[in-house]
Amino acid sequence: MGKIWAIARNTIAQAMRMKIAAAVIVLLLILLPMMSMIMIGDGTLLGKLQTFSSYGLSLVGLLLSILTIAVSTFTLSDELKRQQIFLVVTKPVRRWQIIMGKFLGVVVLDIILLIFFSGVIYGLTVSVPRLLEVADDEKAIADDQFFTAREGIKVALDIQAAAERARERFKKLKEEKGRDWPPLKMAEKTGIEERMTEIEVLSIFVQEEMVREQSVEPGRGRVWDFKDIRPWSEPNTMVFVRFKLDSSVAPPDGVIYGLWSVGNLPAYQRGDGSLTTPIYNVERNSPTRTSQEFFVPADAVTQDNFLGVGFVNNPNLNPSSVTIQELEVLYKVGTFGGNFVRAALLMLVRLVFLAALGIALTTWLSFPVAVLVCLVIFSAGLVNGFIVDSIDGLGAGIGQAYMFTVKPLLMLLPRFDDNYNPAGYVVSGRIIRWLFLLKAAGETIGIKSLLLLVLGMLVFRRREVAKSSV
Amino acid sequence: MSTDMTENQFAIETVALTKIFPDWWGRQRVIAVDNLNLQIRTGEIYGFLGPNGSGKTTTIKMMLNLLHPTRGGATVLGGDSADAAISSRIGYLPEESYLYRYLTAYETLDFYGRLFGLPGSVRKERIETLLDMVGLSGAGNRQVGTFSKGMARRIGLAQALINDPDLLILDEPTSGMDPMGTRQIKDLLVELGKRGKTILLCSHLLAEVEDICDRIGIMYGGKMQVEGSVKNLLELTGKTQIQTSHLNENSLVKIQTLLRQENCEFEITHPMDRLETLFVRTVNKAQQEQQATSGVQAGSGISGFLAEREIVRQPGILDKLVAGQAETQIDKIRGDTETVAVTPQKAEPQQDAELLRKLATAKTDPIAETLKPQQAKSVEAVKIDILSRLVGKDKNADGSTTPTDSKAAGE
């Protein structure tokens, strides 16, 4: 361990002399405080906090990722190039200890920088409401929606049922048309055009059914059930309903008028006296296509952790059917500070992977090539979901061959997007569960990074560190 | 003498060691090292010579696992140098110093000390003595990147010694060093040899190699061309050299007459001082006057910790010499001497001996004990100089030794 640590310390000393390290540190030290002052968001305190934390965390994440890639690909390749490695490998140090030492050095450097810069962001975020003169209700909103750690439960779309309905419709259509297939005169009713293949028609039906699943016709109402809602048992706890509205015909003022009911709605409908919790009605005028939130007291949640959310499409105010997207019920389950630490740890998971990647690659590749490969993999990680989905779609036709060749490789791609993006959690005040964090760490560090490091060690063990020269 | 030597373990042994470098296409190969069978005995100072590109460095890199042999193999200290137990006993100085420019001299040595797993207190003590030894105690907190090549070389040497190695592999240790440094390294290597260290020395400074090595090998084209002890390879057995203190005209005429009677070709000259001696003398004088310098200072002899382990060498020649004759001869060898080079014509060995006896008796007054300028040099340095010569001769003492000039002059 002493030897590994000696190499780690030397790696840190080496990294701190790199110009990119100084550039990243100086840049962040200037940009972060500036951003906290300049960024306004939508003008509210919440908007300002969300904008700053989003950009701040993303910037720190991006710059530290780039720094990690630069340092991890530089440290070993430079020692090989300058032949300083001669004096290390000829000492009683095993080759794997050199790799581990380099890895540890980069990770320790990352931890130090991450603690420092996430500390700066945290400090700035917390002090923004104190420094600004804002109304108390704005502060309350910020406390409820930003300085918190909320669990969110989304409506699960019943895709199976939608697909089933689409198939029914398709069958019916085919029977109706009979000999007229392919349908030539359907354009007036749906998006179906001439000369569409059966699969294309079917997929349009599926999409339509999916939209229908989320939409509410004028004059109708709809109730969604949420189970297993366990808000913090503290006074004045709120439950938040988050949604995004859209309508088939754009409303003239861009606003959709909705009437929401929250509570044990099934018991209310039954009217058999089993209703013990209050029902809250909220009238809400929401602009289309942006995420909106309202809240009701948490006592609307029943003893067995159930909550119903209903929406009525008022035909007098809305001319057309309304689609309710991304409907979600949120409730506080943790503190902002704790969540922020977990967000930083999630970011560290990413950096650790990049450190392992860079070092493993340079046991085999030269510095410029390794940097390029790292950047490609890093970018791929940022859009992992998209890549996996698109290649999955293409490869599905190949079947077995695909399953055993490309698919396992895709699994090795790191995931930095969606759920693995720490900024997203902080911005929307959502909790990062320890379990999720451990799972992410286990996958990314325990499996992917370890695999890379072991591969690197194997290559480095066999490798001639001296160049051929006569 | 060779029987008990071969039973000894070899410090380094290569068997049919071969390295072939392919070109980019994998064709038109270059043979860097060709079937090399090298055997370096424990406790030996071995001079590994050859022109640039003759395969010396490649051989060393294969010994140390920096390159993989194409064929054959190398055993170092009885095992594989990748083995931690073996590599912890090796000190290696590559052909260039390859240090971390951003570390200070102290941090550099500390880093390598840690790699050897030395505990903190031992590291601290050794680093201080080593910095002192290589004359850089004043520059310990300077970054190695600011060092001149010679100074970096000194740090390189210090790192090779931090583990008190049994085997030292030095690839041109004195390249870029000033003559003082070269001299110090030379003295140091001789001293290390005396302490039982095995040294593999690669150098282009032939005078250096000649002075300190027990055996040398000359490589060319990846093959060993000549190998043997320095004495065996270099001695001109067909010539005899006699050095005396200054002779007056009368004695010279007598000797000339005698030599003519013996039918010898001869020439009478005054021996030259070596430029190295003059340089060392001048700098020593300046250092004694404590003139200011931003460069290296005088090193203070060998580090104490390097004596910790004593290897028992079979021959023990040096030790005997050091204990016995050396002391008595130190003052006698150098002085105002004349060199008489004698080439015997059809002379038998017996006649040579007779001639020497005559010469010795003819000069009744032995060598005057005048104070010589060389004595400004440290006694230690002189001792080592003599020692190296003596070693060369005595190691060859298999009975047929011709009486040597220095002995003749001394007796």
Side-chain angles (χ1 to χ4, degrees), chain A residues 86-107:
Chain A
F86 286 9
L87 285 177
V88 180
V89 294
T90 53
K91 304 285 186 270
V93 181
R94 299 205 163 272
R95 298 266 173 111
W96 68 262
Q97 288 176 317
I98 298 174
I99 300 286
M100 276 314 286
K102 293 272 165 212
F103 175 65
L104 184 67
V106 180
V107 169

Side-chain angles (χ1 to χ4, degrees), chain A residues 17 34 43 50 53 115 121 127 145 185 187 207 233 311 319 340-341 355 362 370 376 381 397 404 416 444:
Chain A
R17 262 92 179 171
M34 255 174 64
Q50 286 178 333
S53 62
I115 287 176
I121 292 181
S127 56
Q145 301 189 24
K185 284 192 159 186
Q207 275 170 23
S233 50
F311 177 81
F340 198 87
V341 170
T362 44
V376 167
F404 291 102
F416 302 147
T444 315

Side-chain angles (χ1 to χ4, degrees), chain A residues 2-3 5-7 9-10 13-14 17 79 82-95 461-470, chain B residues 19 21 30 32 53 58 61 64-68 82 84 87-88 92 94-95 97-103 110-112 114-117 143 159:
Chain A
K3 293 170 186 178
W5 181 236
I7 294 171
R9 275 176 33 151
N10 193 27
Q14 182 192 28
R17 262 92 179 171
E79 277 197 37
R82 291 177 194 261
Q83 292 157 334
Q84 291 152 335
I85 201 82
F86 286 9
L87 285 177
V88 180
V89 294
T90 53
K91 304 285 186 270
V93 181
R94 299 205 163 272
R95 298 266 173 111
R461 197 165 73 106
R462 281 301 308 152
R463 172 186 174 143
E464 287 185 328
V465 296
K467 267 183 279 179
S468 310
S469 61
V470 179
Chain B
K19 183 69 186 178
F21 292 133
V30 181
T58 305
K61 283 177 179 167
L64 293 169
N65 262 313
L66 295 170
L67 289 172
H68 301 316
S87 55
S88 61
Y92 169 52
E95 68 272 31
S97 299
Y98 304 137
L99 301 168
Y100 299 100
R101 296 178 56 83
Y102 49 84
L103 294 183
D110 192 60
F111 173 63
Y112 295 116
R114 281 171 193 271
L115 293 188
F116 278 110
Q143 286 188 349
Q159 68 78 28

Side-chain angles (χ1 to χ4, degrees), chain A residues 16-200:
Chain A
M16 292 314 287
R17 262 92 179 171
M18 288 173 69
K19 288 192 183 79
I20 188 165
V24 164
I25 291 169
V26 170
L27 207 63
L28 285 178
L29 280 178
I30 295 172
L31 283 182
L32 288 178
M34 255 174 64
M35 280 161 67
S36 76
M37 312 240 257
I38 293 171
M39 291 196 156
I40 296 168
D42 60 2
T44 63
L45 177 63
L46 178 68
K48 184 182 174 72
L49 287 169
Q50 286 178 333
T51 319
F52 168 65
S53 62
S54 168
Y55 280 90
L57 282 172
S58 302
L59 185 72
V60 167
L62 180 71
L63 288 182
L64 288 189
S65 296
I66 289 172
L67 179 67
T68 306
I69 289 173
V71 171
S72 63
T73 49
F74 178 79
T75 180
L76 187 65
S77 61
D78 189 60
E79 277 197 37
L80 282 163
K81 195 176 117 198
R82 291 177 194 261
Q83 292 157 334
Q84 291 152 335
I85 201 82
F86 286 9
L87 285 177
V88 180
V89 294
T90 53
K91 304 285 186 270
V93 181
R94 299 205 163 272
R95 298 266 173 111
W96 68 262
Q97 288 176 317
I98 298 174
I99 300 286
M100 276 314 286
K102 293 272 165 212
F103 175 65
L104 184 67
V106 180
V107 169
V108 167
L109 181 72
D110 277 336
I111 291 175
I112 294 170
L113 291 177
L114 196 59
I115 287 176
F116 181 73
F117 287 113
S118 51
V120 168
I121 292 181
Y122 182 84
L124 289 170
T125 321
V126 171
S127 56
V128 160
R130 287 183 207 145
L131 296 178
L132 290 180
E133 285 180 22
V134 285
D136 280 348
D137 59 333
E138 265 197 48
K139 279 188 182 174
I141 290 174
D143 281 343
D144 282 340
Q145 301 189 24
F146 185 80
F147 290 113
T148 178
R150 299 179 301 178
E151 180 71 270
I153 294 186
K154 285 186 181 164
V155 169
L157 270 180
D158 196 349
I159 298 168
Q160 287 288 334
E164 194 53 48
R165 284 203 301 276
R167 231 171 276 134
E168 283 295 319
R169 257 180 78 192
F170 181 71
K171 233 168 89 185
K172 222 186 234 172
L173 179 74
K174 220 173 165 184
E175 281 164 9
E176 265 173 36
K177 291 288 162 182
R179 270 188 289 166
D180 286 345
W181 194 267
L184 295 174
K185 284 192 159 186
M186 288 191 64
E188 75 282 352
K189 196 183 175 194
T190 60
I192 295 173
E193 293 165 19
E194 291 178 37
R195 299 191 189 284
M196 272 189 160
T197 63
E198 296 194 10
I199 290 182
E200 279 171 324

